Amino acid sequence: MLKIEHLSKTYRTGTNEYPVLKDLSFQVKKGEFVAVMGPSGSGKTTLLNCISCFIPHDSGKIILGGKDISGMSEKGLANVRNEKLGFVFQDFMLLDGLTVYENICLPQVIAAKPAAQMEAKASKFCEAFGIGKIRDKYPAEISGGEKQRTAVARAMMNDPYVVLADEPTGNLDSRSCRAVIDSFLQAKAQMGATVFMVTHDSYAASFCDRVIVLRDGVIYDELTRRGGRKEFMDELLGVLRELGGDLDDAE
């Protein structure tokens, strides 16, 4: 569903060069829930920004649904971002002047989908993600966990190839964090969602099928969950201890 081939990215300031991603290759299969972790400066946020084409990469390919999106026009990329990619951000990025229900509808409004189809789907998602009772409230009136579940529902509205999640549990307490992770798991189980999540939260990552650990722009390790969540978390923490440093640092 998502394939990264020999991706490289270097930031340049004057005569100085700072390689951030170094010939990175991996793939995410349809229906997988994959996390990316790594210490500050490892390249995880840059990777997410390159995949979404918010920033250009220097070389390599980003193949989404079998198509290389690297060289697309800005108009083409705008369509990809609205219809083929879903986004969940740490700061929710909900529109304050729209209700929960209206925020969820937004991707289909932009895509000019039929109103009856849009409304039926949004109503279905409100119930599926446990936010039916707050559908007519505004973002300022709901909790952080409810905001993020609204964001997950919105991200799924156009049946994207991949949902890109940037630290989706970073501003949440443990209870809200679990509710958001459950929303991803539900989207995966019931809707076949493919989720690619950047996180520093080992608890959230332990629910994933696979965790890619970055260090200095390359893949340091890749862990696949084969047993229970707690065992996977222990394995993950062991790798993170090997890395050292403070994984809670912002990149």
Side-chain angles (χ1 to χ4, degrees), residues 38-244:
S40 175
S42 62
K44 55 189 185 295
T45 298
T46 296
L47 172 61
L48 202 67
N49 286 332
C50 285
I51 291 172
S52 59
C53 295
F54 286 137
I55 63 172
H57 55 281
D58 299 328
S59 60
K61 294 181 178 180
I62 300 165
I63 301 171
L64 181 65
K67 184 175 182 179
D68 185 3
I69 64 172
S70 305
M72 294 182 70
S73 67
E74 191 54 45
K75 182 178 179 180
L77 286 174
N79 289 333
V80 166
R81 292 186 194 113
N82 187 51
E83 297 185 16
K84 305 301 182 185
L85 290 171
F87 295 93
V88 179
F89 302 97
Q90 181 175 355
D91 295 326
F92 319 121
M93 301 295 284
L94 301 178
L95 297 184
D96 291 337
L98 300 181
T99 64
V100 164
Y101 178 78
E102 290 167 341
N103 267 284
I104 293 171
C105 286
L106 195 58
Q108 294 218 335
V109 172
I110 294 171
K113 300 292 185 181
Q117 168 189 307
M118 173 186 70
E119 291 168 1
K121 195 168 189 178
S123 295
K124 175 185 172 183
F125 280 12
C126 281
E127 297 307 316
F129 291 106
I131 47 179
K133 293 181 179 180
I134 60 165
R135 58 178 283 163
D136 295 323
K137 291 188 175 183
Y138 291 88
E141 301 173 315
I142 63 177
S143 70
E146 289 168 336
K147 289 177 184 177
Q148 203 60 297
R149 278 182 282 158
T150 300
V152 174
R154 180 184 61 185
M156 291 298 301
M157 272 296 279
N158 282 338
D159 301 316
Y161 287 141
V162 182
V163 173
L164 302 177
D166 186 10
E167 300 283 5
T169 63
N171 286 336
L172 304 177
D173 58 31
S174 58
R175 183 177 178 181
S176 295
C177 168
R178 179 59 194 265
V180 170
I181 293 299
D182 284 345
S183 295
F184 283 129
L185 294 173
Q186 185 173 6
K188 167 183 155 67
Q190 297 183 9
M191 305 165 196
T194 304
V195 183
F196 187 73
M197 175 177 72
V198 166
T199 185
H200 68 265
D201 184 350
S202 54
Y203 173 75
S206 70
F207 288 88
C208 294
D209 301 308
R210 193 155 47 98
V211 177
I212 297 169
V213 182
L214 296 185
R215 181 179 184 180
D216 298 329
V218 299
I219 295 177
Y220 174 81
D221 205 345
E222 190 170 337
L223 295 84
T224 300
R225 182 177 164 189
R226 305 187 192 282
R229 186 197 66 78
K230 290 183 179 179
E231 291 80 5
F232 188 48
M233 185 170 177
D234 289 341
E235 183 183 0
L236 178 58
L237 288 172
V239 171
L240 298 180
R241 279 192 292 268
E242 289 176 11
L243 272 175

Side-chain angles (χ1 to χ4, degrees), residues 16-44:
N16 296 319
E17 294 189 349
Y18 304 94
V20 181
L21 301 177
K22 307 169 186 175
D23 196 35
L24 209 61
S25 295
F26 63 88
Q27 61 181 324
V28 180
K29 297 177 183 177
K30 180 175 173 57
E32 266 197 306
F33 186 7
V34 176
V36 175
M37 300 190 75
S40 175
S42 62
K44 55 189 185 295

